[in-house]
């Protein structure tokens, strides 16, 4: 039982560190200029994105493409510009993090 508690505590620390690192990556990539975690700014909040795509098996690939190339019309008339300056592996990390939000 003690080992289980230690394992859960360690997992929580790792997940908390991952969330913090991904939020820093969001800021460094310029995403937070238009998006926040839980409310609409220029674009939708990340939790709204996660809810919209929950259960969609193609969501990760679709969002990676949209983040990289830009998108318009899914959330309104304001386009999301392309993010070609962000590394592909960083986009994948960020999309996975966004889709994990509840």
């Amino acid at each position: 039982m003690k080992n289980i508690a230690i394992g859960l505590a360690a997992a929580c620390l790792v997940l908390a560190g991952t969330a913090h690192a991904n939020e820093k990556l969001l800021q460094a990539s310029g995403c937070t200029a238009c998006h926040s975690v839980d409310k609409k700014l220029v674009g939708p909040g990340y939790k709204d994105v996660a809810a919209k795509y929950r259960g969609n098996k193609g969501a990760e690939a679709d969002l990676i493409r949209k983040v990289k190339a830009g998108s318009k019309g899914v959330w309104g008339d304001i386009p999301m510009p392309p993010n070609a300056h962000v590394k592909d592996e960083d986009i994948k990390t960020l999309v996975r993090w966004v889709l994990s939000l509840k």
Side-chain angles (χ1 to χ4, degrees), residues 34-73:
C34 297
H35 300 277
S36 75
V37 173
D38 57 0
K39 65 181 176 185
K40 178 180 175 18
L41 294 179
V42 175
Y46 296 125
K47 288 184 178 182
D48 291 335
V49 173
K52 181 179 186 88
Y53 289 94
R54 191 164 288 119
N56 179 339
K57 296 195 184 292
E60 183 178 318
D62 191 33
L63 289 175
I64 288 170
R65 182 183 49 75
K66 288 179 181 186
V67 170
K68 187 72 172 180
S71 178
K72 182 179 179 189

Side-chain angles (χ1 to χ4, degrees), residues 2-12:
K2 185 176 181 181
N3 289 338
I4 293 172
I6 291 171
L8 287 173
C12 287

Side-chain angles (χ1 to χ4, degrees), residues 14-27:
V14 168
L15 291 174
T18 301
H20 184 68
N22 288 333
E23 288 186 43
K24 285 192 173 276
L25 184 55
L26 287 166
Q27 292 171 342

